[in-house]
């Protein structure tokens, strides 16, 4: 099956879709169930610090990636950028690594949402198959589903934070709140540095998928506008939905509370930190509410993973780094063969339950955590190379729809923080008692995959494709393909946008329209 040049993905996602994907698209079971494990392991202070460090790290990643994605909105995102600005081997590695990471994350989420009432293959039919069928329709269906899934999760987290803080401050009648007691008497930081380092894997799992905005930019109607807006919204998502949520959990639930561990290990919704706080605040039916929202989170994670993995595989195929059949797109802009491969691989992952659910989930958590860290660190390196090549070719930074602040501090910070967290996780695995070699292997198994992919393609490129140059020369980096603005158009486009906004504000528009324009101008 040949790739039809006339068929390509559709730029059908609106700004609101991309915005909601950025704000709540990847809020999943990590924050609903697993976040409590970080508190139980190292105390509320360590868990909060871990989420702050990882939050700063991933926000720097998104800023660095957003600069490139807004100017060159391609479906392959960082995989394509790796091939264009660094080396084809890096693009190949990031693409396949991310494809596998997406598949494993979807499997991990569904495995974690386990109940003895249903077997694993039941979940596969109930969750995976309907999402697959809906994604066959059109990319706008994905965007619309993700919009509403994300909105539900966002409202749930906001409600939890409000109720949790009121409960903690003693605002619930007959329910005296704990106040700051969980942070006193040495309870904030327990287990020392090894315990603190182990909390990173839970933070990585919670933040996983934050780079999805860049993948979705390839099918956004106006990426030069919507991507920068979505990137800015990511900051509020990190502060509100992760840092404030983990702080609220630590304030309301003591680190010795057994529910913090049972929520993750048994996927017990009744033991979820959210449910526990609601019940202790006097809202008994909370278990049903959280259960419904958790199902939404599972559907959302599966929806996002199907989308991201299929688009990444399609991009790899079209760049010659995967079988060509996966690059085929139908007349509605849907990469059907790539979607089918995601479905098949998704079913294969369910066979791993023969080793037991807890073991499978732990390994999937480690693989996806380290894989995400490697992808994020690679984005930092690509960002540095991107700017270097951009300026080397004499291009004007005004032609970038979004320019990252403080360059090169953010990508350098990504590489530095990533290296430190990488070392810290290995140290924690070695110091874990009782010592088990499989813990070290599980921690770094994602590294082996990364090295195998990179080395393997480098050898293939050199000896089978005859390419003697490993790095793409700065003068040959491609800044033409898929560019939203040609050289010199950036300043003109911004002036035109300002003029259009001024004309609309000064023209014959209604009061409501004027208010909307003023709000839009203020926010963006």
């Amino acid at each position: 099956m040949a790739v039809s040049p006339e068929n390509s993905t559709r730029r059908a996602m609106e700004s609101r879709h991309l915005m909601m994907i950025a704000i709540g698209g990847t809020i999943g079971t990590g924050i609903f169930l697993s976040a409590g494990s970080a508190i139980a392991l190292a105390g509320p202070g360590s868990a909060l610090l871990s989420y702050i460090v990882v939050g700063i790290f991933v926000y720097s990643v998104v800023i660095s990636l957003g600069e490139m994605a807004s100017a060159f909105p391609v479906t392959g995102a960082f995989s394509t950028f790796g091939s264009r600005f660094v080396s084809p081997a890096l693009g190949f590695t990031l693409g396949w690594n991310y494809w596998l990471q997406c598949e494993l994350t979807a499997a991990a989420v569904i495995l974690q949402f386990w109940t003895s009432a249903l077997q694993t293959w039941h979940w596969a039919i109930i969750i995976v198959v309907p999402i697959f069928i809906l994604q066959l329709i059109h990319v706008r269906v994905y965007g619309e589903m993700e919009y509403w899934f994300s909105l539900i999760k966002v409202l749930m987290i906001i409600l939890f934070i409000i109720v949790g803080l009121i409960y903690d401050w003693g605002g619930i009648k007959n329910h005296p709140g704990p106040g700051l007691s969980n942070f006193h008497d040495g309870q904030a930081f327990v287990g020392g540095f090894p315990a603190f380092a182990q909390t990173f894997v839970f933070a990585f799992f919670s933040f996983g998928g934050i780079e999805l905005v860049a993948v979705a930019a390839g099918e956004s109607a106006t990426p030069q506008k919507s991507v920068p807006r979505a990137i800015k919204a990511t900051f509020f998502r990190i502060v509100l939905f992760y840092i404030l949520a983990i702080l609220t959990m630590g304030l309301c639930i003591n680190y010795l509370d057994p529910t913090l561990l049972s929520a993750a290990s048994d996927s017990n919704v009744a033991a979820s930190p959210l449910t526990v706080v609601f019940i202790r605040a006097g809202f008994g039916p909370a278990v049903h509410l959280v259960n419904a929202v958790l199902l939404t989170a599972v559907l959302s994670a599966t929806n996002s993973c199907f989308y991201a993995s299929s688009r990444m595989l399609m991009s790899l195929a079209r760049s010659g780094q995967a079988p060509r059949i996966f690059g085929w797109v139908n007349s509605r802009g849907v990469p059907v063969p790539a979607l089918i491969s995601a479905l098949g691989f998704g079913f294969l992952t369910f066979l791993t339950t023969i080793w037991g659910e807890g073991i499978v989930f732990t390994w999937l958590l480690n693989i996806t955590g380290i894989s995400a860290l490697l992808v994020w660190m690679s984005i930092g390196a690509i960002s540095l190379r991107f700017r270097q090549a951009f300026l080397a070719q004499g291009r004007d930074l005004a032609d970038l729809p979004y320019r990252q602040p403080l360059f090169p501090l953010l990508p350098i910070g990504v590489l530095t923080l990533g290296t430190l967290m990488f070392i810290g996780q290995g140290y924690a695995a070695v110091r874990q008692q009782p010592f088990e070699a499989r813990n070290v292997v599980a921690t770094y198994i994602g590294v082996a995959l990364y090295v195998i992919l990179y080395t393997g393609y480098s050898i293939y490129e050199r000896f089978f494709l005859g390419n003697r140059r490993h790095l793409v020369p700065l003068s040959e980096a491609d800044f033409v393909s898929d560019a939203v603005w040609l050289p010199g158009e950036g300043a003109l486009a911004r002036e035109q946008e300002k003029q259009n906004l001024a004309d609309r504000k000064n023209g014959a528009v209604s009061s409501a329209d004027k208010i909307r324009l003023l709000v839009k101008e203020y926010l963006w």
Side-chain angles (χ1 to χ4, degrees):
M1 185 181 296
V3 176
S4 302
E6 68 276 12
N7 288 343
S8 60
T9 53
R10 299 282 183 261
R11 294 193 177 276
M13 276 196 281
E14 299 177 6
S15 181
R16 67 182 180 91
H17 295 142
L18 210 63
M19 179 68 67
M20 194 54 73
I21 289 172
I23 294 175
T26 52
I27 296 175
T29 57
I31 198 69
F32 287 110
L33 294 177
S34 305
S37 298
I39 299 174
L41 184 66
S46 290
L48 178 62
L49 182 58
S50 173
Y51 273 70
I52 290 174
V53 170
V54 177
I56 294 172
F57 175 74
V58 297
Y59 184 60
S60 300
V61 170
V62 171
I63 290 289
S64 302
L65 183 57
E67 180 178 73
M68 297 181 283
S70 59
F72 305 94
V74 291
T75 305
F78 44 86
S79 172
T80 302
F81 300 149
S83 294
R84 284 189 186 183
F85 309 130
V86 183
S87 73
L90 181 60
F92 174 86
T93 303
L94 291 178
W96 280 106
N97 187 78
Y98 188 71
W99 180 83
L100 182 62
Q101 176 189 323
C102 287
E103 300 290 358
L104 292 177
T105 301
V109 168
I110 297 172
L111 286 172
Q112 193 181 41
F113 191 68
W114 174 261
T115 173
S116 57
L118 293 175
Q119 296 182 16
T120 310
W121 65 271
H122 293 151
W123 280 121
I125 295 175
I126 293 171
I127 295 175
V128 174
V129 173
I131 294 295
F132 168 77
I133 294 173
L134 288 170
Q135 291 227 3
L136 284 174
I137 300 173
H138 197 273
V139 67
R140 190 177 177 86
V141 175
Y142 159 74
E144 204 63 41
M145 284 195 298
E146 204 54 43
Y147 178 85
W148 292 107
F149 285 156
S150 299
L151 184 60
I152 292 171
K153 294 183 291 183
V154 165
L155 293 175
M156 180 65 183
I157 294 293
I158 292 174
L159 179 63
F160 164 72
I161 292 171
I162 293 173
V163 172
L165 292 179
I166 292 175
Y167 165 73
D168 181 65
W169 295 336
I172 305 294
K173 188 176 181 180
N174 299 324
H175 291 81
L180 297 176
S181 61
N182 293 333
F183 281 78
H184 290 165
D185 304 322
Q187 297 181 96
F189 302 92
V190 296
F193 180 77
F196 170 66
Q198 289 179 62
T199 62
F200 285 129
V201 70
F202 299 104
F204 288 147
F205 185 65
S206 296
F207 280 104
I210 203 165
E211 68 291 323
L212 184 61
V213 175
V215 178
E219 294 177 78
S220 171
T222 54
Q224 69 273 22
K225 298 179 182 178
S226 56
V227 172
R229 293 174 183 173
I231 294 303
K232 294 173 185 176
T234 304
F235 174 78
F236 298 100
R237 169 193 166 188
I238 291 172
V239 173
L240 182 61
F241 306 126
Y242 290 108
I243 295 177
L244 279 183
I246 201 77
L247 172 62
T248 304
M249 292 176 194
L251 288 170
C252 297
I253 307 175
N254 189 272
Y255 83 98
L256 294 175
D257 195 308
T259 61
L260 291 175
L261 287 176
S262 61
S265 60
D266 303 330
S267 299
N268 186 356
V269 178
S272 166
L274 279 71
T275 310
V276 170
V277 171
F278 279 130
I279 292 177
R280 292 178 183 177
F283 185 54
V287 62
H288 303 294
L289 177 63
V290 176
N291 193 58
V293 176
L294 183 58
L295 178 58
T296 300
V298 172
L299 291 170
S300 174
T302 308
N303 190 37
S304 294
C305 287
F306 261 90
Y307 174 80
S309 64
S310 62
R311 268 53 179 186
M312 186 60 73
L313 184 57
M314 180 204 72
S315 177
L316 286 168
R318 294 201 162 192
S319 63
Q321 295 177 331
R324 291 188 62 194
I325 189 173
F326 294 121
W328 185 82
V329 174
N330 67 14
S331 58
R332 296 188 304 278
V334 179
V336 178
L339 263 177
I340 293 174
S341 75
L343 178 68
F345 193 89
F347 278 125
L348 284 176
T349 56
F350 290 109
L351 297 177
T352 57
T353 53
I354 60 176
W355 291 291
E357 214 118 298
I359 297 174
V360 169
F361 180 72
T362 300
W363 278 74
L364 292 178
L365 189 69
N366 279 284
I367 293 173
T368 54
I370 287 294
S371 295
L373 179 58
L374 290 170
V375 168
W376 293 336
M377 290 176 66
S378 299
I379 290 171
I382 294 170
S383 176
L384 291 171
R385 183 79 175 178
F386 167 81
R387 274 289 194 101
Q388 188 180 9
F390 197 83
L391 295 176
Q393 293 187 20
R395 293 180 174 269
D396 189 353
L397 292 178
D399 287 328
L400 296 175
Y402 175 73
R403 186 165 28 172
Q404 61 172 297
L406 306 176
F407 183 86
L409 293 183
L410 294 185
I412 290 175
V414 166
L415 293 172
T416 303
L417 273 177
T419 302
L420 292 175
M421 288 188 284
F422 189 79
I423 295 172
Q425 284 191 268
Y427 175 77
V430 172
R431 290 292 304 272
Q432 190 172 345
Q433 297 298 327
F435 173 79
E436 292 185 23
R438 68 178 183 178
N439 290 333
V440 180
V441 174
T443 300
Y444 286 130
I445 191 170
V447 180
L449 174 65
Y450 191 97
V451 171
I452 290 171
L453 289 172
Y454 194 97
T455 305
Y457 191 82
S458 297
I459 294 172
Y460 169 76
E461 184 181 34
R462 182 174 182 84
F463 294 102
F464 291 89
L465 299 182
N467 186 3
R468 299 291 177 179
R469 296 184 308 183
H470 184 68
L471 294 178
V472 175
L474 297 178
S475 60
E476 296 180 17
D478 183 6
F479 292 110
V480 177
S481 302
D482 308 297
V484 295
W485 292 334
L486 295 176
E489 289 184 349
L492 295 175
R494 288 190 176 91
E495 284 300 320
Q496 185 63 48
E497 180 67 19
K498 289 180 181 178
Q499 186 61 48
N500 291 341
L501 191 61
D503 291 343
R504 292 169 64 186
K505 284 194 292 185
N506 297 328
V509 294
S510 66
S511 298
D513 287 337
K514 286 183 178 180
I515 292 173
R516 280 196 292 269
L517 286 169
L518 289 172
V519 170
K520 178 180 178 182
E521 185 179 23
Y522 174 76
L523 289 175
W524 311 121

